Amino acid sequence: MKKFLNKVMVVFVAGAVLTSCKKITDDINISPNQPANLSTGYALTSALQYIGGTGGGGATTNINSYAGELYSQYISETYYTNESRFALAQYDYQGYYTGPLTDLKQVIDFNTNDKTKNLATTIRFGSNANQIASARILKAFIFLTMTDRWGDIPYSQALQGNVNLTPKFDAQKDIYTDLFKELTEAQAQFDDGAPLTGDVLFGGDNTKWKHWANSLRAVMALRLSKVDPATGSAEFKKAVADGVMTSNDDNATYQYLSEQNNENPYFGNYRTRYDYAVSSQTVNTMKANSDPRLPVFAEKANTGDYIGLPYATQGDDLNNFSIGNRSGSTIKAGNISQIGLAYSSQNSPTTWTSYAQTLFAEAEAAHLGWIPGGDGQAATYYTQGITASLEQNGVDAASITAYLAKPGVVFNAANAVEQIVTQKWLANYLGDGWESWSEYRRTGFPRLLDPVPTAVSADKHIPRRQQYPQSENDLNKANYNEVIARQGPDALSTHVWWDK
């Protein structure tokens, strides 16, 4: 994909009244390089690329963000350890609003407006309903990521441009309520009309979009397991009834390409530096049960073994490690494990939401009594979730059978939630780190390093949220003060609504 797709220029040109006498100056102010109408297919591609980290989102706002993976302790920082020690508190979300959310709102508006919706189908970007439904689902996914990171955020008054430059902050509870509605309506909105174009996530497959939307509803429902289990249970049942993911073919997987404008972010980092290594938390958890995914997740160190870097290692402690062990590197062979090539090659894909993740959600829901079957059915979903993850990572059938028989892997109802969430954490390796961080906050699993002794934050604990960008305090002061009074201090230690 060419770089120009990363930033789609949306230009609306007012229609001129044609006369029989054309003036010489009629064409002077018309640029041949600017589209006369919104290219909605390109806008969808732009939004997907942005959150994949290739459209200007970078490490702060893409889904597989370094910060999300660090908070979840999949990886450890090597030379520069500020993020893993929580020295960075404020994260800017403006890029979400001005980038993919604006693109998606325009897709919806263009396909809804009576003056433009016929054109949207004429230029073959998909039927109106299919374009609107996919844009609503992707928009909901982004807002879910945002509210889980910051808590209360601008939502109902956001995306109004100059009409409202100081939007209020909606309570997270209200945002969740609306996101349930949006995802429920959107998944039912697809029709048999023209398929989507510009869909680099699902290739215009409506069924996969539906399954993703309903799986996201299940993820959201479980998030309410402590703050509002009645609503969580009801929403989970409805999501499953509407149809969640049914195989690895349904995975919401973003495919990077073997070209610099759309490459895996870890490949880009490893091209010149070695800022990240696989954490000892990941390596040791996998070694405990001889996990066959370890050779996929990590590379061997120069000792011939898999050795993780302890999380938040810093200062003189790093003298015990040499960093980097790849062919062609100018850095000497290292004695810690780098990220495996399956996850850090230039065209390595990343999975935002997986079939395995959905099965683990169903396992926990059965254990909680939200869906039928009790712990017997929970064990089945749990085993299926592990199997799906291992198959996703290319593990052969014999190794899957051997792993499932490990005493530390066999389902134990007395330890169900820890087992389920730990396996979900493994299955989500370098996928959507924000999701794994949310699950840790909700359940306390897996057993990560917390508190972090080298942290520079006040309480040294893994953050419960991220602080608002400084621009809110500077430019939206009244609403900023209101949300602080309602939600709590603008600090890493403040819990979001569902985090009990």
Side-chain angles (χ1 to χ4, degrees):
M1 294 182 190
K2 301 301 181 184
K3 193 170 185 179
F4 72 85
L5 288 179
N6 292 342
K7 289 291 181 182
V8 176
M9 182 176 293
V10 180
V11 179
F12 289 98
V13 178
V17 177
L18 299 180
T19 66
S20 57
C21 298
K22 188 175 180 180
K23 297 179 181 177
I24 259 178
T25 56
D26 281 350
D27 293 332
I28 291 179
N29 294 320
I30 298 177
S31 170
N33 299 317
Q34 294 179 337
N37 297 286
L38 172 64
S39 298
T40 52
Y42 294 148
L44 177 64
T45 303
S46 176
L48 288 166
Q49 286 187 326
Y50 187 103
I51 61 176
T54 62
T60 300
T61 53
N62 65 343
I63 293 302
N64 58 326
S65 162
Y66 302 136
E69 309 298 346
L70 287 165
Y71 284 7
S72 302
Q73 297 186 11
Y74 290 120
I75 54 177
S76 295
E77 288 179 304
T78 55
Y79 302 114
Y80 308 103
T81 60
N82 284 345
E83 207 152 29
S84 58
R85 294 187 297 123
F86 321 133
L88 304 179
Q90 289 182 317
Y91 285 78
D92 193 356
Y93 50 44
Q94 296 301 330
Y96 280 125
Y97 289 108
T98 59
L101 289 174
T102 292
D103 284 342
L104 296 169
K105 181 179 183 298
Q106 290 173 332
V107 170
I108 294 168
D109 291 346
F110 198 78
N111 281 277
T112 304
N113 190 310
D114 288 337
K115 295 181 180 180
T116 56
K117 66 181 182 181
N118 289 334
L119 180 61
T121 56
T122 301
I123 55 180
R124 299 179 182 177
F125 289 123
S127 71
N128 295 131
N130 291 339
Q131 291 187 61
I132 294 168
S134 59
R136 291 175 78 181
I137 292 168
L138 190 56
K139 188 163 162 271
F141 176 57
I142 297 170
F143 270 123
L144 174 62
T145 300
M146 293 176 65
T147 188
D148 285 346
R149 288 177 65 180
W150 286 279
D152 298 358
I153 55 171
Y155 181 75
S156 61
Q157 294 182 359
L159 307 178
Q160 295 181 6
N162 291 335
V163 174
N164 187 355
L165 296 175
T166 56
K168 72 172 185 178
F169 291 74
D170 292 78
Q172 187 177 50
K173 179 180 180 180
D174 297 333
I175 296 171
Y176 259 65
T177 298
D178 196 66
L179 292 180
F180 278 125
K181 177 190 74 69
E182 280 294 295
L183 289 169
T184 301
E185 292 177 357
Q187 63 87 33
Q189 191 171 7
F190 289 97
D191 63 18
D192 295 327
L196 294 169
T197 64
D199 175 12
V200 295
L201 189 64
F202 293 122
D205 190 319
N206 290 351
T207 299
K208 292 181 179 181
W209 277 100
K210 293 178 184 180
H211 287 176
W212 188 36
N214 295 329
S215 296
L216 289 175
R217 290 162 62 194
V219 167
M220 290 174 57
L222 266 184
R223 205 83 89 226
L224 309 187
S225 63
K226 295 179 180 177
V227 69
D228 189 358
T231 298
S233 176
E235 291 291 346
F236 198 98
K237 289 182 179 71
K238 289 189 287 186
V240 171
D242 284 336
V244 294
M245 293 179 175
T246 60
S247 74
N248 279 326
D249 288 339
D250 282 342
N251 289 350
T253 298
Y254 184 87
Q255 180 64 59
Y256 294 101
L257 303 179
S258 297
E259 57 104 3
Q260 194 167 350
N261 292 322
N262 193 9
E263 67 185 11
N264 184 290
Y266 290 101
F267 179 85
N269 178 267
Y270 275 3
R271 180 186 285 114
T272 56
R273 293 159 45 156
Y274 289 89
D275 288 338
Y276 306 99
V278 183
S279 73
S280 59
Q281 282 71 16
T282 297
V283 171
N284 295 343
T285 298
M286 301 184 85
K287 278 187 172 183
N289 292 305
S290 302
D291 196 313
R293 290 167 291 189
L294 182 54
V296 184
F297 287 8
E299 292 185 47
K300 287 182 178 179
N302 61 357
T303 61
D305 193 8
Y306 297 98
I307 301 174
L309 177 63
Y311 186 75
T313 300
Q314 54 109 23
D316 291 339
D317 291 337
L318 277 172
N319 292 331
N320 298 320
F321 302 95
S322 55
I323 313 299
N325 59 357
R326 294 196 175 185
S327 174
S329 171
T330 57
I331 304 175
K332 293 181 179 180
N335 60 3
I336 58 172
S337 290
Q338 301 297 300
I339 298 168
L341 291 173
Y343 284 84
S344 60
S345 294
Q346 190 173 25
N347 64 345
S348 293
T350 186
T351 298
W352 299 341
T353 309
S354 69
Y355 173 49
Q357 179 184 347
T358 304
L359 287 165
F360 290 127
E362 290 179 285
E364 186 177 351
H367 173 70
L368 294 173
W370 287 10
I371 56 177
D375 282 327
Q377 187 60 50
T380 299
Y381 285 134
Y382 168 78
T383 301
Q384 291 174 339
I386 295 173
T387 301
S389 176
L390 269 62
E391 289 177 344
Q392 180 185 339
N393 285 280
V395 178
D396 62 84
S399 298
I400 292 174
T401 299
Y403 181 69
L404 291 172
K406 297 286 183 182
V409 176
V410 174
F411 183 81
N412 179 359
N415 199 31
V417 174
E418 179 174 2
Q419 282 188 308
I420 292 167
V421 177
T422 299
Q423 284 292 341
K424 186 192 295 185
W425 175 74
L426 289 170
N428 204 25
Y429 176 74
L430 300 191
D432 181 355
W434 301 122
E435 169 62 22
S436 295
W437 173 47
S438 292
E439 286 296 270
Y440 173 76
R441 287 179 287 162
R442 180 178 70 88
T443 66
F445 300 120
R447 297 184 183 275
L448 303 177
L449 179 65
D450 191 10
V452 175
T454 59
V456 298
S457 56
D459 64 1
K460 297 187 179 298
H461 283 288
I462 294 173
R464 310 309 291 196
R465 62 178 291 274
Q466 292 178 314
Q467 292 178 207
Y468 296 119
Q470 184 62 36
S471 57
E472 294 291 12
N473 189 24
D474 293 341
L475 305 175
N476 196 12
K477 187 71 172 179
N479 288 315
Y480 175 80
N481 288 341
E482 180 183 337
V483 73
I484 298 310
R486 179 178 69 232
Q487 180 173 250
D490 189 10
L492 298 177
S493 57
T494 295
H495 291 225
V496 299
W497 165 68
W498 51 256
D499 179 13
K500 302 301 180 183

